[in-house]
Structures are given as C-alpha cells and as structure tokens.
Amino acid sequence: MWPEVKTAKEENRRELKLSGAGARKRFEENSGQLDETIFQLSALNLLDVNDSPLDVISPKIADLKHLQSLLLFRNRIVEIPAEIGRLSALKVLDLSGNRIERVPGEIGQLKTLTTINLSGNLLKEADLSALEGLIIVNLSSNQLERFPELPLSKLEVQHLSEINVEKNQIREIPAGLVKQNGLKTLNVAENKIELVPQFLVKCPRLKEINLKENPLKDKRLKKLVEQCRSKQVLDYVEKNGHVAPANASSSSNSAQEAESDEPKGPAEIRPKITVLKPADSARRVSFSPEAKQLRPHVLHCIVRDFTIGSMKKFLQLQNDLHDNECGKREFATIATHDLAKIKGDLRYQADLSEQIEITPLNGKSKVTAAKYYEDLRQQAEAIRKEKKRNTYSGVHKFINLLKGEVFVFFADDDKKVISLPPLTNCDETKVGPETRHLLLEVTSSVSAECARKVMLALLKGLLLLDVTVTRVAPEGKKKGGKGKAGGGSSRVVYDKNAELSVEQVRLFDGDGNFHSVFPGKGELEFGEDENIDVEFGGC
C-alpha cells in the first residue's frame, strides 16, 4: 500500500492527492497504474493525480461511489473506461493534458456533472449531449473538426454558461448554439472559422466571445476581433453577421409581378443539404459476402442535429415512401434509428432465421426472425382468404421476397439486432421526439440506383418536413390562364428556409477493406426546378 493511500485510509480522509517525484516513482514501479488499494477508499470525494506516468484508469474507479471531483490531468491516459459512467455523484471531471482519442457514450450517465475539462487531448469529435447539468465545457487544444454535441438548454433551466473550444479545426458555429440560453462565454479562437453567424446575438446572456486567429472573411470584423472588446464585436455581428444566402430574383416590371402566380418572398428561398465528411473514428458499416449476396444494395447516412417537430409527420413520411417510392417494400425498405441508442459500428450479416433475435418495432420482447416472419405470413394469409385473393397484396406483398431460411440483418457492437430488412427494425433504437441524430438506412434487392433514389426522397422529405411547398407557373403566365405564357417551366417555392446536415457513412467489406461512402458527390441530385442546394463541406 502506498504511503499516501495508507494515511488516507487511517485518517478516513475524503481527499487524496498524488503528485511529485515520489508519486511518479511509484507509478513507474507499478506499470503506470494506481495502487489497487485506492479503490477501497470508498469515502473519497476527491481524487487528484497529476503530472505522472499514469496511463490507465482502472474499471475499479466505479468503486469510489462518493467521488465528486476526479482530477487526472497532465498524465498519459489514452482511454476513458466505460465504468466512469457509474460515478453517480461526480460533479467535476478533469482529464486535460492526456492522450485520449474518444469520449465513451457512458459518460452521458453522469447526470450530476457540472464541469468537464478534456483540453489538450486527441479528440476529433465529442458528444456531451446527455450531460444536462453541464455549466463549464473545455475542449480546447484537441483535433475537433466540428463543434461538440452539447445538451439542449431548456427555457426554465439555464445551465451551460462557458464553452471553450479554442485551438481546434472547427469550421462552423452551429445554429443550435442559440438554444444555449445560459451561455455567457464562448471561446472559439484559433480554429478555421470564416463566417460568424448573426444568430449568435440571439444568445441572451452572451457577454464574452473570443474569435481571434480565425481566417475570417470579413476584414472589418477581423480587425475588431483583434483590437476590441467582446461588446463591440457582438454589436458588429448583430448588424453585419453572416446570414444564410438567398438567391434573390427581381423583375423590373412590377405590373407583371403582380399578375404572376409566383409569391415574392418565398421564391428567393433555397433549402440546403450540407454533406459532412466523417471523422476517422466515425461510425462505419461492414458487410459479409453472404448478406451482400442476399440483399446486395445498402445505403446509410447520418442526419445531425435534427429536430422532430411532429412525430406524426415524421412517421407519415416513411409510410408514404414505403407505399410509393419503395413499391410497398418490394423495391426497397427504409429504417430510421436514434443514433445515440446504437453501440459502435454496424455489421451487415446473414444467418438462419431461428438464430436471429430482435425486439420488433413496437414489440415488448425479443422474438426470433423465424417467429416474426411466420406471424406476418399468417396475418397476410388471413387477409388474403378474407378478401378472396390468390396472392398477398398491399403491405404484405414484400413477404414473397424472402426465400429460404437465411435472413439478413444489421447488428451493432453489442450484437443487438437493430434491423431485419425488409421486415422490421428494432424497438430499442426507434426514433422519438427527443432524438437529435438520425441513422438512415435503405436496403434494396433491386438495384443500387433504386436504393439511391429512395434515400434521396427520404432526405428531401426530412429537409422539407415542416416547410410548405408550392409549385408556381412559369414567369409571365397570368392568373386564370389568361395571357401569353412565358417560355419557362414551372418551379417550386418554399414558405421558409430549411437546412439538413448529413454525415457520410463508410462501408467496408468483411476483411476491413474500404468499399464505398454515401453520399458521395453526384449522389444527391435534385431537379433544377426544385431549388434545393447541396453543399459538400470538406469532402
């Protein structure tokens, strides 16, 4: 037992600090690990280990159930164990100055956490969206390529007040930041930000902002950032901050405009899909040869920061696509998942239907794929007999696509079956009003082009879910069909703008070799009359 630990045990101390030359020597003698007897000090509420060769956090850290502050900064730690999520009393977590590459999902279980410092690590992405009690976030000096996922602020709860993402590779300040209505300090210095959005001033308590050493396009703003205080910078952003561009169109003939069917304002609006390049550590999908042979065409992508205003509209969109573009599921099938409920990567596999277990959508318990299929078949048979038909019809037509006893399925790193195309996806990963990130899945036995068109229709539907769409007559055509029609074709206009952030998902074969990525350039193509922009960000 180390002397510091012995003293803490004998005196029933609530705090333990290990630093200095003596502690460093003991770590070196113990292969860079803590003395195991530390985890017997169940009364500890603070553990401070810094400037040492510590490179492993033992899973036994979960035994320190009363720990409120865990300070393990400037060490050699490479991984945060999942067991850290069991520290239910933890308020402060400082793992700065280590070699950590990813934040485990289990960290979201720390509901009492108010301060997290992961600065000076090797993070390329960070999802802190489940940490609803956060007040201070420090992720500076990492390798973040986009803004970290943060908990949504509720109007009656104004927690998060300080965000520091200085010295990263971030290119854009997300619109979701305006929902952090308690935010007071924002430090995004030394990133790759070119445009400062006007919506920043909608953060009601924002007083301090640091934008220094970014490649800002607005030269006047750049000068203010370097020379002035935050108030002057925010005042300038309020008047001159970046606003999403609209393609303005005007006519010199006001009388002709008055007679046109085309609304004036909405005609300028162009909804946009931004395609994001996945980080090296991002989710991936791999496939087995058997699965690809049975149902060969598979597409996935991730929709980030999506707000479902109406579950009814969301579900109706999928039903309409299954009935039309998917041909009652004969051509293709769609599945949508809550990304936060999926563990790690996905594997596309094939197995005997008796060996596959899934909790089907809206089901209460697991059943085998064989049992689920047989129940569907019996239901279809009963309807066929009732309506005196020779074949299955409607929603059950796709049952005939399944031949033999081997089915395909998608499973995550926990071996949880999340999808059983074309039959169902699982209940555990279903989308709800609280979902923020969607995993979209389209599979087809017909063709890759069929799968692409269905995914395109799904993305378009999500983009325009809360938008009113109107098709207007060619310019120059008068109301009631009177007058000479113009030479152009009709086009679509929208009542408000909309944006969708779509992250690419990479597909690998069973040997780990890269196969493809979706969506690639040229795979999201809309008609010219639809006025939808697609932008590839760093792809």
Side-chain angles (χ1 to χ4, degrees):
M1 182 180 292
W2 293 358
E4 300 93 334
V5 180
K6 183 178 180 181
T7 301
K9 184 176 182 180
E10 291 175 349
E11 299 180 4
N12 196 28
R13 292 186 178 179
R14 299 292 190 270
E15 298 181 359
L16 176 62
K17 182 174 182 179
L18 298 171
S19 63
R24 284 195 293 273
K25 183 178 180 181
R26 282 186 279 279
F27 276 109
E28 290 169 354
E29 293 172 347
N30 199 38
S31 302
Q33 299 188 43
L34 287 166
D35 182 353
E36 288 287 299
T37 57
I38 285 178
F39 306 113
Q40 299 173 13
L41 305 177
S42 58
L44 279 184
N45 57 40
L46 182 147
L47 176 60
D48 183 350
V49 182
N50 60 77
D51 298 293
S52 80
L54 174 67
D55 58 12
V56 175
I57 303 176
S58 170
K60 291 184 179 180
I61 193 73
D63 293 341
L64 302 179
K65 297 180 180 179
H66 298 288
L67 207 60
Q68 295 182 21
S69 297
L70 181 58
L71 313 178
L72 306 178
F73 53 92
R74 294 196 300 272
N75 295 295
R76 301 176 185 174
I77 300 166
V78 297
E79 184 177 7
I80 304 174
E83 288 77 7
I84 204 167
R86 290 159 56 188
L87 296 175
S88 58
L90 197 65
K91 295 181 179 180
V92 178
L93 177 62
D94 189 344
L95 295 171
S96 59
N98 282 284
R99 303 170 184 177
I100 298 165
E101 295 184 358
R102 63 180 294 271
V103 179
E106 289 80 2
I107 208 166
Q109 299 170 19
L110 301 175
K111 300 303 182 184
T112 60
L113 197 68
T114 61
T115 301
I116 186 167
N117 187 351
L118 293 171
S119 63
N121 280 285
L122 304 173
L123 299 174
K124 292 187 177 179
E125 60 180 358
D127 188 348
L128 309 178
S129 58
L131 299 174
E132 298 176 352
L134 277 183
I135 297 174
I136 298 173
V137 173
N138 189 344
L139 295 171
S140 61
S141 300
N142 276 281
Q143 300 173 15
L144 298 177
E145 296 176 355
R146 61 171 175 265
F147 216 85
E149 307 295 340
L150 299 171
L152 285 175
S153 177
K154 299 176 182 178
L155 291 176
E156 69 275 12
V157 181
Q158 300 176 342
H159 289 309
L160 190 57
S161 66
E162 183 177 327
I163 300 172
N164 186 350
V165 289
E166 181 182 11
K167 297 181 181 178
N168 280 285
Q169 307 294 316
I170 296 169
R171 296 179 179 274
E172 185 177 6
I173 299 174
L177 206 61
V178 300
K179 297 180 181 179
Q180 302 297 340
N181 53 4
L183 185 63
K184 297 178 181 178
T185 302
L186 176 64
N187 186 350
V188 290
E190 296 187 49
N191 277 279
K192 296 184 177 181
I193 296 168
E194 296 182 348
L195 301 171
V196 180
Q198 194 178 62
F199 60 66
L200 267 182
V201 297
K202 294 183 180 180
C203 296
R205 300 189 179 186
L206 185 60
K207 302 298 181 185
E208 298 291 330
I209 185 168
N210 187 351
L211 292 159
K212 292 181 178 180
E213 296 190 46
N214 276 289
L216 301 176
K217 288 186 175 181
D218 187 329
K219 302 304 180 185
R220 170 64 177 159
L221 176 59
K222 189 175 182 67
K223 186 175 181 180
L224 284 173
V225 164
E226 299 298 330
Q227 298 179 356
C228 300
R229 296 181 178 180
S230 294
K231 186 180 186 306
Q232 285 87 348
V233 172
L234 289 171
D235 287 344
Y236 182 88
V237 170
E238 184 176 14
K239 297 177 181 178
N240 304 286
H242 175 67
V243 179
N247 287 346
S249 62
S250 60
S251 170
S252 59
N253 190 334
S254 58
Q256 188 178 31
E257 281 187 339
E259 292 182 330
S260 172
D261 287 335
E262 181 175 335
K264 293 181 181 179
E268 302 175 351
I269 296 173
R270 295 182 67 93
K272 183 175 76 171
I273 294 178
T274 301
V275 181
L276 307 173
K277 182 179 179 180
D280 292 339
S281 57
R283 314 270 184 137
R284 58 173 63 186
V285 179
S286 60
F287 62 85
S288 69
E290 296 81 8
K292 284 285 282 184
Q293 184 176 4
L294 285 171
R295 194 170 178 84
H297 310 294
V298 177
L299 294 177
H300 288 85
C301 62
I302 295 169
V303 175
R304 292 283 183 184
D305 297 308
F306 187 76
T307 300
I308 301 176
S310 168
M311 280 301 299
K312 183 178 180 180
K313 287 184 180 180
F314 180 78
L315 296 174
Q316 188 60 49
L317 168 64
Q318 295 175 76
N319 290 336
D320 290 344
L321 291 175
H322 270 139
D323 286 345
N324 298 296
E325 280 81 355
C326 295
K328 302 288 186 183
R329 303 194 189 206
E330 284 191 278
F331 306 147
T333 52
I334 295 167
T336 58
H337 306 275
D338 187 327
L339 186 66
K341 299 175 183 177
I342 297 173
K343 179 72 172 181
D345 297 334
L346 290 182
R347 290 163 182 80
Y348 185 40
Q349 299 170 302
D351 204 346
L352 293 172
S353 57
E354 292 88 351
Q355 301 299 318
I356 305 169
E357 288 191 338
I358 186 172
T359 304
L361 194 61
N362 299 320
K364 295 182 179 180
S365 59
K366 286 186 177 181
V367 296
T368 65
K371 175 69 166 59
Y372 185 74
Y373 171 75
E374 181 58 24
D375 289 346
L376 275 181
R377 193 195 64 77
Q378 289 181 9
Q379 183 184 47
E381 182 67 14
I383 294 174
R384 184 190 67 79
K385 289 180 178 179
E386 179 184 346
K387 296 189 176 182
K388 299 180 180 180
R389 291 173 176 166
N390 294 324
T391 59
Y392 298 150
S393 62
V395 72
H396 294 102
K397 289 175 69 175
F398 69 89
I399 291 178
N400 291 322
L401 296 174
L402 296 171
K403 307 293 183 183
E405 299 177 345
V406 178
F407 289 3
V408 295
F409 63 94
F410 290 95
D412 66 7
D413 279 350
D414 278 346
K415 298 184 179 180
K416 175 173 62 186
V417 176
I418 71 162
S419 182
L420 188 67
L423 298 179
T424 186
N425 47 303
C426 80
D427 191 70
E428 291 101 325
T429 63
K430 71 179 178 182
V431 173
E434 76 288 349
T435 299
R436 293 188 64 201
H437 310 299
L438 300 170
L439 176 68
L440 307 185
E441 167 197 319
V442 173
T443 63
S444 173
S445 58
V446 177
S447 69
E449 180 62 11
C450 177
R452 186 192 72 84
K453 287 183 176 179
V454 170
M455 182 66 87
L456 187 66
L458 177 57
L459 289 171
K460 178 182 174 182
L462 293 174
L463 174 68
L464 305 177
L465 197 61
D466 296 315
V467 176
T468 300
V469 182
T470 306
R471 182 168 289 277
V472 299
E475 187 175 350
K477 184 174 181 179
K478 298 183 178 181
K479 293 182 179 180
K482 297 179 181 180
K484 187 176 180 180
S489 59
S490 64
R491 63 193 185 99
V492 172
V493 294
Y494 308 96
D495 71 326
K496 59 183 177 181
N497 218 334
E499 293 189 17
L500 200 67
S501 295
V502 179
E503 182 180 311
Q504 295 173 319
V505 172
R506 292 167 295 184
L507 184 64
F508 293 78
D509 65 21
D511 296 324
N513 300 311
F514 175 75
H515 181 273
S516 59
V517 64
F518 183 86
K521 291 185 177 179
E523 290 185 301
L524 299 185
E525 294 182 343
F526 297 95
E528 289 185 10
D529 64 327
E530 292 183 277
N531 293 330
I532 295 176
D533 292 330
V534 178
E535 179 181 292
F536 280 76
C539 295

